[in-house]
Structure formats: structure tokens, C-alpha cells
Amino acid sequence: MKHSTRGRWACFGVAVSMLVLPRLGEAALGGTAASVAADRAALAAVHRATTTRGAYTVQEFRSDSSTVREYVSASGVVFAVVWNGRAHPDLTTLLGSYSGEYRAALRQTARTRGLRRQQVQSDGVVVEKWGHMRNLQGRAYAPALIPTGVTIDEIK
């Protein structure tokens, strides 16, 4: 009977680890302001600037291949991510918990030959990518998390 209780606790611990640990490493869009440092480390980037504008703060960091800006609301939630550079950054890291939703929406989006701009939209996230070789840009945002008074045009 004692073995059974230990086994259940072990299973519970593994289940909790599976739910919590990946989010700590992948927190970004929809994550807390603390996730910005995790994203910077995951992309091997260095902090470049912090800019405060009315209802949000922009954290900018740069890696060898791209510059990333994360928009953090006054309540401490990352509501948008913007990038530009020679290559698109790892979106799994930047989209965090929205990554799966993005991939599912991407699979349903028809590909157009010669298209230089792509928009993938789901219920919770919008991802836009454009540009050409060595000048690739994009942005992702969670419309429900955008602070009141902030327009999408400010996310650039």
C-alpha cells in the first residue's frame, strides 16, 4: 500500500513538471516581463535598449542574426513581439504558449507562390512575416492582451 502512494506522488510530480517546466523556458508572448530575460538567453542575444511609452515598455535585444523587441504592458504581460534581421528568430521561443496555436493555424493557411508577406491568424494570436533574403521582418501579438489605448500600428 505504501508503494502505491509513493507511485502516485511520483506520477503527480512528473505531471506537474511536464506542465510547468516547459512554460518557464518558453514563456514569451503572454508571459510575464521576467520571460524577456529567458527569451534573450534562449536566443543568445544581448540587451540593447529599454523604451517606456505610455501604457507599455519595449525591451530590445540583439543576436547575431536578428533584433527582437518585446512589448510589455504596464501590468507586466508581454503582448507583442517584433523582429527583423537576416533570419527569422525561433518563434517557438518567442510565441511561448501560443506556439502550438500558431503552428496549427499555419498548417491551415494556404501557401502562395512568390508571396513576400504572410499573415497567420488564430483565435488568440496574429503572426505576420515579410521581407526578403537578409532582411526578414515580422511581428506577433495577442489581440486580447493589447492594453487599452494602444493601436496595432504602434507595434513595429
Side-chain angles (χ1 to χ4, degrees):
M1 193 72 170
K2 250 184 174 177
H3 254 348
S4 173
T5 303
R6 284 186 192 165
R8 288 183 189 150
W9 279 109
C11 288
F12 177 74
V14 169
V16 169
S17 297
M18 291 174 66
L19 293 173
V20 174
L21 291 178
R23 294 194 186 283
L24 291 175
E26 295 179 0
L29 187 64
T32 65
S35 71
V36 174
D39 295 342
R40 189 175 62 227
L43 297 173
V46 294
H47 180 261
R48 192 166 176 199
T50 300
T51 307
T52 301
R53 300 178 183 154
Y56 59 90
T57 300
V58 180
Q59 296 283 339
E60 183 175 306
F61 46 95
R62 183 178 190 138
S63 70
D64 288 341
S65 62
S66 62
T67 299
V68 174
R69 289 181 296 282
E70 294 193 346
Y71 289 66
V72 182
S73 69
S75 62
V77 175
V78 178
F79 64 92
V81 179
V82 176
W83 63 89
N84 65 318
R86 291 181 287 146
H88 291 294
D90 179 9
L91 292 183
T92 302
T93 298
L94 295 178
L95 297 179
S97 62
Y98 291 96
S99 180
E101 188 176 332
Y102 163 70
R103 284 190 304 250
L106 180 62
R107 283 190 293 270
Q108 296 177 354
T109 302
R111 298 186 77 181
T112 305
R113 192 175 185 113
L115 181 68
R116 291 187 178 185
R117 183 173 192 93
Q118 179 184 40
Q119 182 182 48
V120 177
Q121 187 168 355
S122 67
D123 290 340
V125 67
V126 176
V127 178
E128 300 169 333
K129 298 192 295 187
W130 65 92
H132 54 82
M133 187 181 283
R134 302 186 61 81
N135 183 20
L136 299 171
Q137 301 176 45
R139 70 178 179 178
Y141 54 93
L145 300 178
I146 295 176
T148 303
V150 176
T151 66
I152 292 175
D153 293 336
E154 294 178 57
I155 303 169
K156 53 186 172 182

